[in-house]
Amino acid sequence: MGVDLAKIALDVGPKFPQVVVLVGATGDLSRRKLLPGLFHLVTAGFIPAWRIIGVSLDNIDVEAFRALTRAALTEFSGRKITDSAWATFSDSLDYVPMSAGGDALKQAVERAETSLGSESRRIHYLSVPPNAALSAVHLLAEAGLIERSRVIMEKPFGTDLASARQLNSRLHEVFDEEQIFRIDHFLGKEAAQNILAFRFGNGLFEPIWNRNFIDHVQIDVPETLGLGKRSGFYEQTGAFRDMVVTHLFQILGFMAMEPPTALEPSPINEEKNKVFRSMTPIDPRDVVRGQYVGYRSEEGVDPESDTETFIALKCTIDNWRWAGVPFFLRTGKRLAEGQRIISIAFREPPKSMFPLGSGVGAQGPDHLTFDLADASKMSLSFYGKRPGPGMRLDKLSLQFAMRDTGLVGEVLEAYERLILDAMRGDHTLFTTAEGIERLWQVSIPLLENPPPVRLYPTGSWGPKSIHQLVAPHAWRLPFERAWRDPNPDGS
């Protein structure tokens, strides 16, 4: 039986009407995620009243922006768009070109707030490249739009410790820290939040969530996609800055944190930051950097580029819970599969009483696996006896998929959830200035002395040296067994 989203909206939606200033409104992220996400939030009733003002470098009028939005919804929204819903949403759209300046933007916001007819709040989403973020902030300040507002910042948040500190300092000249929401769409995924529910809502797993029972952890986010038109941006960042600091380390914080005193933003962020403070500096000898064959011939790329399109690393957390447990992280472009996996390998029994050839241990240790795709899945593997005479063991698994519950249609996409949380002032799934700066601090040895990039063919799993990095363990991906289809006959 489905959930009544209208009833839920009364509890989880913002209490005030929202004026959304979407800077970078004609860009790729806006068209693919933000505009469809806002459309769903308002049509599902999560936002009581709203106006959306697009801002970008494109010198277009409001009708052209509405046409662009309609095309974006048609192409990228996975939900039905009725004529009446579109008419209502379209009427809420306005547009101000960046060249019009702060006064024009201020007037547009004042018109929006007047039309709402009651006290409202402002949410500024900066869907712009990192080098344009401060210019957008200055535009908002020039327009006098700081009061009653919150600002969502896209990653990467700095490129090293010095730039992150400078960016935080410049931001704090305009916005208080409580107003700033540094977005990580990985943490907005239902599966990432399910880690908290899984750990702290069940008495079965929290007692074994430590170095006494867990052998090692893998956080693996390979991508099949290339860079498209992002090559110029990627040349300034690379896989480590683009993905590890902003995404994989944040997932590590969720997975490794101590139980918070309450399921509230401040206690949760404090426990995540404790994990980051306990991380040891990254040793370049524990890092493999790679670059896919053909990257240097792409448009906007230096023919002698040393930028990594792949990175794998080992990191450690020097605290009571995780001392001695290695965390292996891997991500890269143009790899064999697109996955988002957390895999927790449990320690094997200290002694086996099973006969030789029984198969125990032959397929590796028991694993608990989280699939961080939007429709979350989990799997717990273990050894069990094969039916028949003798003692022969096979690897079996218990699996759960959100689709099994019949509620998969109620899952909010990551950006939808995070926009909603920012409107409510909930920092739980956002990163703090302290956390970001600490992660850049532990990255200093790698950034100052990176190992050379190693070429890898497209469609592979990266450079061959990744196997030496993880030894004596093995990479969990590619899976030996696929996720089970609960409806193999298609019914």
Side-chain angles (χ1 to χ4, degrees), residues 95-302:
Y95 185 82
V96 177
M98 192 84 74
S99 58
D103 287 341
L105 180 56
K106 181 178 182 179
Q107 292 171 18
V109 171
E110 289 177 345
R111 287 196 305 270
E113 292 177 336
T114 300
S115 69
L116 290 171
S118 61
E119 184 180 357
S120 59
R121 296 289 184 268
R122 302 159 180 167
I123 189 86
H124 307 309
Y125 197 119
L126 307 189
S127 178
V128 296
N131 58 7
L134 286 176
S135 297
V137 168
H138 293 152
L139 176 67
L140 297 172
E142 177 190 339
L145 301 178
I146 307 307
E147 185 183 359
R148 292 182 287 109
S149 75
R150 298 176 176 121
V151 60
I152 301 176
M153 307 286 296
E154 271 290 334
K155 57 94 175 174
F157 203 83
T159 55
D160 54 22
L161 179 59
S163 61
R165 283 177 172 168
Q166 182 183 33
L167 182 54
N168 280 325
S169 176
R170 298 286 295 277
L171 275 176
H172 290 153
E173 293 173 1
V174 179
F175 291 99
D176 294 333
E177 178 65 18
E178 292 73 22
Q179 294 177 281
I180 302 170
F181 291 77
R182 300 169 185 82
I183 198 166
D184 172 13
H185 72 270
F186 272 48
L187 294 188
K189 293 182 177 297
E190 197 76 31
Q193 298 161 58
N194 218 357
I195 296 172
L196 295 181
F198 191 85
R199 284 189 60 188
F200 305 129
N202 300 291
L204 177 61
F205 289 99
E206 182 56 26
I208 62 172
W209 209 266
N210 56 60
R211 61 187 175 86
N212 295 321
F213 297 93
I214 293 177
D215 184 74
H216 66 279
V217 177
Q218 295 181 25
I219 302 175
D220 212 350
V221 187
E223 297 180 288
T224 58
L225 297 175
L227 297 173
K229 298 180 180 179
R230 297 177 68 233
S231 299
F233 159 77
Y234 212 76
E235 273 289 274
Q236 307 302 316
T237 55
F240 181 77
R241 291 179 171 92
D242 184 46
M243 288 291 292
V244 176
V245 175
T246 51
H247 292 323
L248 274 64
F249 279 163
Q250 300 299 330
I251 293 294
L252 183 152
F254 252 36
M255 187 268 160
M257 62 187 270
E258 295 294 321
T261 55
L263 201 63
E264 296 173 358
S266 182
I268 288 176
N269 274 316
E270 174 57 23
E271 295 305 333
K272 279 179 56 187
N273 287 341
K274 284 181 182 177
V275 173
F276 300 151
R277 290 195 291 269
S278 299
M279 288 175 63
T280 58
I282 300 169
D283 189 335
R285 293 172 297 181
D286 292 330
V287 177
V288 175
R289 295 170 69 236
Q291 185 185 94
Y292 65 76
V293 175
Y295 171 75
R296 294 176 181 176
S297 61
E298 294 191 9
E299 182 179 355
V301 175
D302 184 339

Side-chain angles (χ1 to χ4, degrees), residues 300-372:
V301 175
D302 184 339
E304 298 181 359
S305 174
D306 192 46
T307 300
E308 79 278 357
T309 62
F310 170 98
I311 191 158
L313 65 150
K314 179 175 73 173
C315 56
T316 56
I317 300 172
D318 190 19
N319 64 14
W320 193 271
R321 183 181 291 262
W322 297 112
V325 178
F327 288 74
F328 298 102
L329 282 56
R330 176 174 64 170
T331 186
K333 303 292 186 183
R334 303 292 297 273
L335 296 176
E337 294 179 22
Q339 297 275 3
R340 294 166 180 173
I341 296 293
I342 301 175
S343 187
I344 299 158
F346 293 102
R347 294 193 182 278
E348 298 189 59
K351 182 175 175 60
S352 175
M353 73 287 290
F354 296 98
L356 290 176
S358 66
V360 65
Q363 299 182 58
D366 301 337
H367 282 87
L368 175 64
T369 303
F370 293 88
D371 185 337
L372 297 184

